Amino acid sequence: MTATPETTRPPSTVKVALLGAGNVGAEVARTLLEHGPEFAARVGAPVELVGIAVRDLAARRTVELPEALLTTDAEALVDAADVVIELTGGIEPARSRILRALHGGKPVISGNKALIARHGRQLQDAADTAGVPLSYEAAVAGAIPIVRPMQDSLAGDRVDRVLGIMNGTTNYILDQMDTTGAQFEDALAEAQQLGYAEADPTADVEGHDAAAKAAILASLAFHSTFTIDDVYCRGITGVTAADVAAAREAGYVIKLLAVCERCSGGVNLRVTPTMIPREHPLAGVHGAYNAVFVEAANAGSLMFYGAGAGGAATASAVLGDFVSAARRLVLGGPAQGADPHAQLVAASMDDVRTSFSITLTVQDRLGVLARIAQVFADHGVSIFTMQQTDHPHGDPQLSEIRLVTHRGANKDLVATVEALRELSFVEDVAGVIRVEHAD
Ligand SMILES: NC(=O)C1=CN([C@@H]2O[C@H](COP(=O)(O)OP(=O)(O)OC[C@H]3O[C@@H](n4cnc5c(N)ncnc54)[C@H](O)[C@@H]3O)[C@@H](O)[C@H]2O)C=CC1
Ligand SMILES: N[C@@H](CC=O)C(=O)O
Ligand code: NA
């Protein structure tokens, strides 16, 4: 329940505290400092950046910032401000500082998906109690407006499915591997250089960052509370150059896909590398761009597309939230709280209906194909396409079989893969990747 704000005198100047001056924070500071009069006009009062909390006063930054604004005393800065923008990342001390601001009745803007996907409920409760907004448009899909459309524009509809590419770093890596044949490590280094990756890029490549975003979006879309622990998550570290090449040859592209969908047990949330047909709109999402599809009962299918990462692009989302929060401080009005009334639960992967692509290395003997087909039939899984080729390393005793299945229950697909591994003539089962819309 959102508290009714007390009647307080609007500040004559809106004082902003910025925590963090990294890729995003530095761009937020630069924009606020360079465009003061425009922010004042949009907010309805002068805006003053009163300080920037950093860890190291002498560190080199992507943007030169006035030394006088830098401080290592984040708590004092929070106390001195009307609005707090948190762009340091991580759980602590970010959580304590945000709570300090909210308990002090100050609106908070954050891009910290790792924190919100774990402690969003606690932070939102604190914001609701104080009657101030907690805004985090930047936390999901960077510059793309998706959090607010989900909270506002779609609040009168029933969302059934949210699906998309929600991590710029992994999309950049997979796209580079697909289009230029780049090595994984080189593409990751470029993504870091370009300011797309998290401070610890493990969060990107292991899928945790996309999983955090999936949990945040699903909480809003399904009016429930999900955390990152509710998301079945596989990253892209197991995706090889051979997988990318094989997918390309078969007319697919591999993307790290996040899917949140209603199912019999509640809502299934998953992040997995997924093969997508080249003609699918998601296949055309290149570089660090993101795209999110929303399927809603009345609205039908909606697509949100744009820059999913990068300092300046993400600063746009942060500053949009800032203007909205500051305007409310000046003009008054209730803060909008989250609405988790539906209380749907996270459903297991077992009954999710999905398709698999599977690559088998087999001994080239009579009856092998029939036996493989039998394993699929025994598990109630239907084969969509099957292609047998010579073994890539030219071994005349072996051949390679690539299969794509029709949709089946995930547990049946997993059991099929296990049974294939047991066959005496199967040397290797590789390239097990989900496929979107194969049938
Ligand atoms: N880079 C991007 O494209 C996007 C980033 N985000 C999120 O925005 C936040 C910031 O991201 P980046 O700017 O890329 O990270 P970054 O690592 O470039 O910047 C974070 C800055 O905060 C500082 N910092 C860390 N702990 C601190 C502390 N305790 N006190 C003071 N300063 C501290 C670091 O020294 C660093 O300069 C993160 O939560 C990230 O997940 C969200 C969307 C996109
Ligand atoms: N590391 C993230 C940054 C934006 O959220 C990404 O690559 O998408
Ligand atoms: Na966004």
Side-chain angles (χ1 to χ4, degrees), residues 20-25 53-55 61 86-90 93 97 111-113 138-139 142 195-199 209 308-311 314:
N23 289 308
V24 185
V54 296
R55 262 194 305 214
R61 299 176 211 289
E86 184 277 313
L87 292 167
T88 52
R97 290 172 179 171
N112 193 336
K113 49 270 160 119
Y196 303 149
E198 295 303 301
D209 180 78
T314 306

Side-chain angles (χ1 to χ4, degrees), residues 24 111 113 138-142 166-171 191 195-199 203-204 209-210 213 288 290 308-310 314:
V24 185
K113 49 270 160 119
V140 183
M166 301 187 194
N167 180 269
T169 301
T170 47
N171 201 58
Y196 303 149
E198 295 303 301
D204 296 294
D209 180 78
K213 292 163 178 168
N290 285 186
T314 306

Side-chain angles (χ1 to χ4, degrees), residues 335-401:
Q336 180 200 25
D339 159 28
H341 71 272
Q343 295 184 357
L344 296 177
V345 295
S348 89
M349 284 296 288
D350 281 357
D351 296 320
V352 167
R353 293 188 66 74
T354 180
S355 310
F356 273 18
S357 167
I358 303 164
T359 304
L360 304 172
T361 304
V362 299
Q363 292 164 13
D364 200 1
R365 314 201 213 119
L366 203 63
V368 158
L369 283 185
R371 185 70 193 93
I372 289 171
Q374 190 58 50
V375 168
F376 279 86
D378 290 348
H379 291 87
V381 175
S382 146
I383 296 171
F384 177 58
T385 59
M386 176 152 71
Q387 189 192 14
Q388 183 167 14
T389 55
D390 291 341
H391 189 255
H393 299 139
D395 187 332
Q397 313 291 321
L398 301 175
S399 68
E400 196 174 78
I401 298 175

Side-chain angles (χ1 to χ4, degrees), residues 426-438:
V426 171
E427 299 279 325
D428 190 28
V429 181
V432 180
I433 297 178
R434 285 187 173 72
V435 181
E436 188 59 28
H437 293 304

Side-chain angles (χ1 to χ4, degrees), residues 136-148 307-308 317:
Y136 43 89
E137 183 58 76
V140 183
I144 303 175
I146 182 69
V147 169
R148 277 208 264 167

